[in-house]
Amino acid sequence: MDPIQSLPGTEDILPTCQWLGSDIKVAPVHTWQRVEEVARELFRRATYREIRTPCFEQTLLFERGIGTATDVVSKEMYSFRDRSDRGCTLRPEGTAGAVRAYVQHSLYAQGGVQRLWYSGPMFRYERPQKGRQRQFHQIGVEVLGSADPRADVEVIALATDLLQGLGLKNLTFYLNSVGDLHDRQRYRDALVAYLTPYQADLDPDSQHRLVHNPLRILDSKDQKTQAIVAAAPSILDYLADQSHWHFDQVQQQLAGLGIEFIVNPRLVRGLDYYSHTAFEIQSTDLGSQATVCGGGRYDGLVEALGGPATPAVGWAIGLERLTLVLEKLNPNQPASPEVYLVSRGEKAEANALYLAQQLRQAGLAIDLDLSGSAFGKQFKRADRSGAPVCLVLGEEEAAQALVQIKWLGSGQQTTLSQADLLQNPAQLRQLAQG
Ligand code: ATP
Ligand code: MG
């Protein structure tokens, strides 16, 4: 029978690295776990609390929350009707669900600012390529209830701390302001007026966007379109005083924290609900899918989803791209067992199983050899396991309630009493290091 394959654009994250020729395809799971650990610790220090929302939601949530003119909603959603004929969609991003939960459970009623984080799989029907999948993973933060530019700076600092804390270098941080709705309306008119004479020279996607979502033309990847856009008016010339003030504050405070940035007036985010601050962090170690983190302020979203007017700001980091860079720069080893346990003979094997369980309960990482093969073969596996020491149980040791400890580096060996060992299992850790 032919084995069943995973679907295009989905990947397994394995205990070992997946390679495609000499290129890393999927980083090993311990690299993902390292990211998650560092992120959790940063979130704890900054008092962000985790929120877990469903992987699928009413289609309407994303239509309203992201906007029907966006690529995500118009082309990339996994939508289906369930058996009760409800319109459902696998979440393409995390913000809409977090905000839905915030409104549904009246989290705003607790007053003050809500700092939330999430992580999990997201789904978009895109052309699969390196750093772009149909099921991918994001980790993200949302700060709800503050219009203060310090909130923008706080979330940005959290993203840079996370990426730098993981040891990433060669990052470029692009910053822009897309103003408020009125600023954007005036800018849109100016942009359309500028682009209309070039309409025929734009790529087909951009021609379509000229009518439906002209701001998105700014980040077209088409070379000819890019050349036209290079001389387009800048949104920064259309910001009202309040929007200017906000943008200035963000820049000054970022500088105050020593966070370097490049203002890029062509940076617009793909989702409709952004206002004021928009940003992206790119890595030059990634090739064409270079954006690791995208985020910004979305003051209109909570209200658009039926909640009270609530300013908010957040970001999402793509974990496929992040773990790829990390693995490339700094491949790290999975944790080795602390002890490898070998045994041979019926009594000894039963004894070893008991010892392993006791030592595991005491907190030690024990790799128990289950092969039943000759000691020589078991020792070879012990060497490969990376454990510093091996415990050896033969029939004789089992009969006398003893166990041999063997240092795998030096081959040195000595005998311990099992009773002694179990009374103070932590001595094993000291012995292993000694
Ligand atoms: P891109 O321009 O690369 O399509 P985007 O603007 O659609 O990105 P966002 O919606 O802002 O991306 O998502 C934030 C981050 O999530 C991205 O910067 C990227 O790292 C990651 N990401 C988005 N889509 C995918 C995908 N299909 N596969 C893997 N990672 C993704
Ligand atoms: Mg995209």
Side-chain angles (χ1 to χ4, degrees):
M1 222 192 311
D2 286 343
I4 295 168
Q5 306 283 317
S6 59
L7 287 165
T10 68
E11 292 294 349
D12 300 308
I13 302 161
L14 304 176
T16 51
C17 193
Q18 278 197 63
W19 295 89
L20 191 68
S22 58
D23 234 9
I24 296 165
K25 188 172 174 224
V26 185
V29 77
H30 55 264
T31 299
W32 289 72
Q33 288 167 340
R34 190 169 132 226
V35 172
E36 287 155 8
E37 274 159 29
V38 172
R40 258 174 217 279
E41 174 57 17
L42 279 176
F43 296 152
R44 185 190 68 77
R45 292 188 211 166
T47 67
Y48 284 63
R49 293 176 303 165
E50 186 180 4
I51 181 168
R52 300 184 187 189
T53 66
C55 281
F56 65 108
E57 299 265 5
Q58 287 191 50
T59 302
L60 196 60
L61 173 66
F62 304 114
E63 288 173 349
R64 267 200 212 148
I66 304 176
T68 45
T70 58
D71 283 356
V72 170
V73 173
S74 63
K75 298 189 208 159
E76 299 173 358
M77 293 214 297
Y78 274 94
S79 296
F80 59 97
R81 304 206 74 86
D82 71 7
R83 288 168 197 275
S84 305
D85 206 32
R86 284 190 195 91
C88 305
T89 295
L90 302 187
R91 64 178 181 195
E93 53 91 51
T95 301
V99 170
R100 185 214 26 82
Y102 174 84
V103 173
Q104 182 172 336
H105 306 289
S106 313
L107 297 187
Y108 49 81
Q110 298 171 16
V113 171
Q114 290 278 328
R115 292 181 167 91
L116 303 173
W117 70 271
Y118 61 82
S119 96
M122 308 293 161
F123 307 86
R124 296 183 194 174
Y125 195 82
E126 300 199 69
R127 191 169 70 77
Q129 51 197 294
K130 188 173 178 184
R132 192 176 291 289
Q133 294 175 192
R134 291 180 176 168
Q135 173 173 330
F136 63 99
H137 299 78
Q138 288 183 336
I139 198 161
V141 302
E142 318 289 357
V143 173
L144 295 127
S146 175
D148 195 308
R150 284 177 301 170
D152 310 38
V153 175
E154 177 182 298
V155 297
I156 290 168
L158 206 50
T160 56
D161 272 357
L162 175 55
L163 299 176
Q164 280 164 7
L166 287 164
L168 258 65
K169 297 186 180 73
N170 308 323
L171 297 172
T172 319
F173 174 36
Y174 294 102
L175 181 70
N176 193 24
S177 171
V178 295
D180 65 15
L181 261 176
H182 301 292
D183 303 339
R184 230 163 26 249
Q185 189 55 53
R186 287 187 294 133
Y187 177 63
R188 187 170 313 181
D189 294 345
L191 186 63
V192 171
Y194 166 82
L195 288 172
T196 302
Y198 300 104
Q199 185 166 10
D201 298 321
L202 298 173
D203 62 278
D205 257 359
S206 295
Q207 290 183 9
H208 179 78
R209 287 178 179 141
L210 194 54
V211 184
H212 295 101
N213 198 359
L215 262 63
R216 287 298 286 176
I217 298 174
L218 296 179
D219 67 2
S220 164
K221 308 277 188 287
D222 182 82
Q223 276 198 349
K224 215 165 156 193
T225 303
Q226 273 179 358
I228 295 168
V229 156
S234 161
I235 187 151
L236 299 177
D237 296 327
Y238 290 79
L239 300 185
D241 288 349
Q242 178 61 23
S243 302
H244 249 303
W245 177 84
H246 190 98
F247 193 39
D248 279 347
Q249 285 295 309
V250 169
Q251 293 182 70
Q252 281 177 32
Q253 291 167 18
L254 283 172
L257 296 186
I259 297 172
E260 288 174 26
F261 57 87
I262 297 173
V263 172
N264 174 7
R266 310 263 174 261
L267 171 72
V268 288
R269 306 276 313 134
L271 317 180
D272 264 1
Y273 48 64
Y274 282 96
S275 48
H276 300 293
T277 309
F279 62 90
E280 277 186 6
I281 303 175
Q282 299 193 353
S283 163
T284 48
D285 296 314
L286 264 174
S288 56
Q289 313 307 328
T291 307
V292 188
C293 175
R297 183 164 271 289
Y298 52 92
D299 288 346
L301 181 63
V302 179
E303 207 175 3
L305 294 179
T310 306
V313 57
W315 51 251
I317 285 178
L319 291 179
E320 276 71 14
R321 296 181 197 179
L322 175 54
T323 52
L324 278 178
V325 188
L326 208 55
E327 192 59 20
K328 203 163 120 184
L329 290 183
N330 183 14
N332 69 336
Q333 294 301 315
S336 300
E338 290 174 285
V339 175
Y340 196 91
L341 184 43
V342 306
S343 58
R344 189 152 165 84
E346 207 176 309
K347 255 211 170 127
E349 284 170 1
N351 191 176
L353 182 62
Y354 174 78
L355 262 190
Q357 200 215 9
Q358 293 293 312
L359 293 171
R360 285 169 180 165
Q361 285 179 356
L364 287 137
I366 310 292
D367 189 340
L368 172 65
D369 194 303
L370 295 172
S371 67
S373 53
F375 270 130
K377 280 192 175 162
Q378 295 196 46
F379 284 134
K380 280 217 180 86
R381 272 193 294 272
D383 281 332
R384 277 201 304 266
S385 77
V389 292
C390 176
L391 288 180
V392 188
L393 265 163
E395 285 300 327
E396 210 166 297
E397 285 86 7
Q400 299 175 48
L402 298 173
V403 62
Q404 300 271 345
I405 177 167
K406 179 178 174 186
W407 282 266
L408 289 159
S410 64
Q412 243 183 345
Q413 212 160 318
T414 180
T415 306
L416 303 170
S417 118
Q418 288 189 26
D420 213 39
L421 182 60
L422 291 180
Q423 203 149 61
N424 178 17
Q427 65 178 298
L428 204 49
R429 206 166 267 153
Q430 283 150 20
L431 284 172
Q433 280 155 13

